[in-house]
Structure formats: C-alpha cells, structure tokens
Amino acid sequence: MPAWLAPVAKVAASVEPRQLSRFLPPDDGAGRPSAVLVLFGEGADGPELLLMERASSLRSHAGQPSFPGGAIDPEDGDPEGEGRLRAALREAEEETGLDPSGVQIFATLPALYIPVSDFVVTPVLAWWRRPTPVAPVDPAETARVFTVPVSELTDPGNRAMAVHPSGYTGPAFNVGPALVWGFTAGVIDRLLHYSGWEQPWDRERRVPIDGT
C-alpha cells in the first residue's frame, strides 16, 4: 500500500464506533447485516475514492451517491467475519464491474446503523492496487460510477452541512457531478477528520436536500 494510506489504516485500528456515528447497531441484534467497499485509488489528481450513484428507481436511498455495497448473503459466509469482506467485493463487482482481484482489503471499520433502511453496515477499507475500468452493470441499480479526488473532499469550498426535510442534518460534499450526503458522507467526514486530512471548513454553511 502507498504511504499516504497509513493514517487511514491507523484510524481503522483505533477508532471507536461512537467516534464514527451516533447510530450504532441495535443491542437486540436487529438490522440486516451489510457491507460497503471504501476503495482508495491513485488517480491523475492523486488519491481518490470510488463512488457510485444509486438508480432513482430503487426503494431505499434512491439517487444517492454511495459506496458500492449491499446486504451480506448467506453464500458470503460469516456476517461477523469474512462474509463482510466477500459481500463488499461481490457487491462492488455486481454494481460497478470492478475486478476484485485488483483490490487489496486492509481493514474494516466498526459496524454502523442506517435507521431509515434498517441496515447494519460494515465499511470495508481497501486499496485499488490494480485499477480496472468501472461502469454501471445494471442501470436498474446503478446510475453512475465515478471517482472523487481526496483533494476535492478536503477542499473547504466543497463542504457544507446537508439539511433534509426529515430533520436529518449531517456533513455533505459538493464534488464533481454529485452532492454526497447521508451515511456515505458521514463515513468520509470521520475518515478525513481522524486521519488528519481534514481542513477547517464552515460548518454553518447549509445545503438543502430534496425530500421527494
């Protein structure tokens, strides 16, 4: 792995769940186990992250930019162990056409909870050591696949707090073709913060989210 990823690996080894989100898996074990692939690569503009935009026809999180990922299936294996890694890679391949053989998983973050969809999500951190072409595999699931330079994510001019009609308020990134908010933006925000990559930004800046 490149040296610039060392701070991210250090975060994964030490961060506590409540440092990442106030939404943690229910104590009673409820929620559907799932995983997302937080894939770092090296692009023309330096370090970058792979993101996708979910199709507008989906039942949950329609039209939202997100990490590739989804529910852990029985064939993936133990949802508390290797199943999380297999699910993240499988879903990324199914959604973006990513070749998993070029991906090196180096850590996982603590599982977090998305109340609106009842998913218990493990972010799987990986290095794109051998990039391959990516694009939507099924337009019914994925509208776009794109990479975002980390320099754009850390640029204070691209940062704001998203405000949703439901009452949700959280970090957002206005980058490239997308406004990244919700769970995905929350994970990115915490990774930037604890890795030491974050730059001071205006937390009073607000951007409204369409609730339709």
Side-chain angles (χ1 to χ4, degrees):
M1 290 196 313
W4 57 261
L5 264 179
V8 179
K10 185 176 180 180
V11 170
S14 59
V15 72
E16 297 292 330
R18 288 210 174 272
Q19 292 178 294
L20 295 175
S21 175
R22 68 181 187 275
F23 299 115
L24 302 183
D27 293 334
D28 62 2
R32 187 173 184 187
S34 62
V36 295
L37 187 67
V38 184
L39 183 59
F40 290 90
E42 185 85 54
D45 297 315
E48 61 185 15
L49 269 176
L50 178 69
L51 296 176
M52 51 172 271
E53 182 182 308
R54 294 169 58 82
S56 58
S57 58
L58 293 176
R59 286 185 300 173
S60 62
H61 309 291
Q64 273 190 248
S66 69
F67 301 117
I72 300 174
D73 291 343
E75 56 267 29
D76 294 320
D78 181 8
E80 300 293 327
E82 294 293 316
R84 302 170 298 174
L85 315 186
R86 295 191 189 98
L89 290 174
R90 175 182 54 76
E91 287 281 348
E93 182 177 14
E94 291 175 359
E95 293 172 333
T96 74
L98 174 79
D99 182 354
S101 68
V103 175
Q104 177 184 342
I105 293 173
F106 63 87
T108 61
L109 294 178
L112 305 174
Y113 186 55
I114 304 181
V116 67
S117 55
D118 196 36
F119 277 112
V120 174
V121 186
T122 297
V124 176
L125 307 183
W127 159 239
W128 207 357
R129 58 182 176 81
R130 191 175 69 248
T132 51
V134 288
V137 174
D138 182 356
E141 287 193 10
T142 308
R144 285 185 296 142
V145 180
F146 57 100
T147 56
V148 177
V150 171
S151 60
E152 290 189 18
L153 295 167
T154 58
D155 184 340
N158 294 334
R159 305 211 54 182
M161 293 295 286
V163 180
H164 192 273
S166 66
Y168 167 86
T169 301
F173 299 84
N174 195 357
V175 288
L179 177 67
V180 183
W181 63 284
F183 174 84
T184 302
V187 172
I188 295 172
D189 171 77
R190 294 295 82 194
L191 281 176
L192 296 181
H193 176 76
Y194 288 113
S195 67
W197 293 349
E198 182 181 44
Q199 299 180 32
W201 57 283
D202 183 6
R203 295 178 180 272
E204 298 303 315
R205 183 185 300 152
R206 296 290 190 266
V207 56
I209 302 297
D210 186 358
T212 58

